[in-house]
Amino acid sequence: MCLGLLTLIPHHVLSNRCTLSIKSTVMSTLTGELGAGVEERKISYKEALEIIERQESHFWDFKSSSSSGRNIQDISSALANAEGGEFIVGVEDEKRASGIERWRGFLNIEEANWVHQNLAGEVDPPIPYDLEYLWIEGDEARGVCCLVTVQKSADVHKTSKGEVLQRRGAQSLKLTGGKIADLSLSKGARSYEDQPLGDYDIDELLEEEELAYFLENYSLASSSEKFLRRQRLVSKKTGEATVAAAVLYAEEPAAVVPKRCSVKIARYESKESAPDRKYLKGTPLTIDGPARQLIDRTMRSVAEIIESVPILGTDGTMSPVKYPPEALKEIIVNAVIHRDYNVSDDILISIFDNRVEVRSPGKLPGHMTTDNILTDRFARNPSIVRLLNKYPDPPNKDIGEGLDTVFSAMKAAKLKEPQFVVEDNAFVVVLAHTPLARPEELILEYLGHNSEISNKIARSLTGIESENRVKQVFYKLKRAGMIEPVPGRVRSKYAWQLTVKGTASNKPD
């Protein structure tokens, strides 16, 4: 009914920020049918400052009370076309004011009705959202601001000009052509994180210590129950909690969502291409806990195991293998937040003598492939991604930059770039401890510290598995007059040394 009524009102009347009662009535009815929650509350001066001091990000933005309807359409559709998020209308850009002076809200709630109209009536299809009016207690003269929570959406949303935008980092980027088709394909993939859990409801969820910890540090939350309902973590009808709620806040998610929430860590004293039980050292570890703690515990355990793995250095000494911690963290974080929770399997981290493999259940989501994984973005579990990002110092702080961080960290450590493998029902990331330096450089550096080098040692240094390939490297250095065979060595004792001046032969063996 309200959509029909809306079409009868001239567009220029609805676009005007007047306080016509007819517009208020229409918008109230419209948002009611769309299911948008509209609330009003007062916050403290401290809470207002915490809001103002937040940095714009993939999930958060500021809009002035003098913004245009187009601005509202752009940011809301961009968030809905990504993983959802929040923005506040009534806070000025930090370039125009500072501190509490940035809070320049509307004189009254009626004056902000145009925000509703652009959210629900100007974007196609209408944006799924909740809206909260915030006043500063004792300083109401600064006006009321509109805090808009945009929910993740299964639709591709367009502005009134037919444009499709998507949030990437702190920007709202316009999509065209194939990018829109990719977004549409990704939107069609339903996430298991929304699945309600019949034996885990809001009453049990409200008792979780992790939820209490989160809300203590989240300034925009009013009450626990209101937060859970607003974030669609519990069913409004049944009170059943979702898989995402259990993954994020349950003390033992694996007990609520069996065989889907743990991380298993296995150490293999081998360089073999596939895991083999005969090389398994000890009993594999099983790590549990809510997502934030799961990531921290996994990082600590992996780091401890890696430090026990000895590796031969170019100086001839054995020392603990080292991987860039930021690369390990990003791979582990991605496995936890992007895994397919519909697959009954745990994340498996295998630590070999020469590499770390992180196997995340489920193939790549939506339109994602190993070819576009560094340029495109799609979150299989948008609620988990978005809410984990709301923690102080969140593990997924740099949204959209995680894999770039892995590549740059491995390069800085002079190790080869990570490998991505898509298996039948898993996505595997391999961090190989293979030096980026050429084999020739590593061999010469080793001989700068040691009198000789064997084929076996050279293979260990370079990461080359083939004995014949290493021989070819030795011959190449010999032809260049840089190394020569150690005299008197044959067969298994054969070794190479730096050329003794005047004795090197340039003839190939």
Side-chain angles (χ1 to χ4, degrees), residues 182-425:
D182 288 343
L183 176 62
S184 181
L185 176 64
S186 297
K187 287 286 188 177
R190 179 171 173 78
S191 176
Y192 190 77
E193 70 166 4
D194 297 324
Q195 184 75 17
L197 299 168
D199 57 352
Y200 186 65
D201 59 22
I202 188 171
D203 292 334
E204 191 171 354
L205 182 56
L206 287 171
E207 295 177 357
E208 300 289 5
E209 291 184 7
E210 182 68 13
L211 176 62
Y213 170 81
F214 173 84
L215 293 175
E216 284 175 7
N217 294 278
Y218 181 53
S219 62
L220 297 181
S222 48
S223 70
S224 302
E225 184 171 346
K226 189 175 292 183
F227 169 80
L228 294 172
R229 295 190 185 280
R230 185 181 292 272
Q231 298 297 335
R232 307 299 191 264
L233 294 175
V234 295
S235 167
K236 291 185 176 181
K237 293 182 178 179
T238 66
E240 293 174 326
T242 65
V243 168
V247 169
L248 287 164
Y249 307 120
E251 183 178 354
E252 296 184 23
V256 183
V257 192
K259 287 293 292 180
R260 290 179 172 91
C261 300
S262 302
V263 175
K264 294 189 182 299
I265 306 173
R267 164 74 177 111
Y268 294 92
E269 293 183 315
S270 163
K271 294 182 180 179
E272 297 295 323
S273 57
D276 190 321
R277 290 194 65 85
K278 67 182 179 182
Y279 297 118
L280 184 63
K281 182 179 180 181
T283 304
L285 294 176
T286 298
I287 313 294
D288 289 309
R292 177 186 66 90
Q293 296 182 37
L294 179 67
I295 291 168
D296 288 344
R297 292 168 184 169
T298 300
M299 273 297 298
R300 289 196 297 270
S301 296
V302 168
E304 184 178 336
I305 294 173
I306 286 176
E307 287 174 2
S308 69
V309 180
I311 190 170
L312 179 66
T314 53
D315 61 355
T317 63
M318 301 295 290
S319 57
V321 65
K322 291 184 179 180
Y323 291 89
E326 59 270 39
L328 285 170
K329 179 180 179 182
E330 291 298 340
I331 296 302
I332 291 170
V333 169
N334 278 350
V336 171
I337 66 179
H338 294 308
R339 64 151 293 168
D340 188 348
Y341 284 93
N342 192 32
V343 177
S344 182
D345 200 0
D346 294 321
I347 295 167
L348 176 62
I349 301 177
S350 302
I351 302 173
F352 296 84
D353 288 346
N354 61 345
R355 69 191 185 280
V356 175
E357 294 183 359
V358 180
R359 179 172 274 93
S360 179
K363 294 183 179 180
L364 288 171
H367 70 285
M368 300 302 296
T369 66
T370 54
D371 292 328
N372 66 14
I373 198 169
L374 292 178
T375 57
D376 288 15
R377 171 175 172 75
F378 176 70
R380 191 199 313 270
N381 307 301
S383 289
I384 293 174
V385 172
R386 177 167 48 84
L387 293 173
L388 194 62
N389 186 258
K390 291 181 182 295
Y391 279 95
D393 191 24
N396 59 336
K397 182 184 299 182
D398 300 318
I399 296 295
E401 299 178 10
L403 290 180
D404 288 333
T405 298
V406 176
F407 272 79
S408 59
M410 292 293 281
K411 185 176 181 180
K414 297 182 179 180
L415 295 173
K416 289 189 176 180
E417 63 185 29
Q419 296 175 286
F420 303 124
V421 181
V422 178
E423 297 183 347
D424 288 342
N425 209 14

Side-chain angles (χ1 to χ4, degrees), residues 55-63 75 79 166-173 399 401:
Q55 295 296 308
E56 290 186 348
S57 68
H58 187 76
F59 301 107
W60 174 258
D61 208 346
F62 296 101
K63 294 299 173 188
I75 182 60
L79 289 171
Q166 188 178 41
R167 193 70 172 175
R168 289 293 298 269
Q171 295 180 301
S172 298
L173 303 179
I399 296 295
E401 299 178 10

Side-chain angles (χ1 to χ4, degrees), residues 11 17 31 68 74 86 106 110 114 182 194 203 210 259-260 336 340 398 400 411 431 441 443 447 494 496 501 504:
H11 180 77
R17 295 188 200 170
T31 55
S68 66
D74 286 355
E86 297 166 309
F106 301 97
E110 289 288 317
W114 62 277
D182 288 343
D194 297 324
D203 292 334
E210 182 68 13
K259 287 293 292 180
R260 290 179 172 91
V336 171
D340 188 348
D398 300 318
K411 185 176 181 180
L431 297 182
E441 295 171 348
I443 289 171
L447 286 173
Y494 203 86
W496 297 82
K501 243 181 187 180

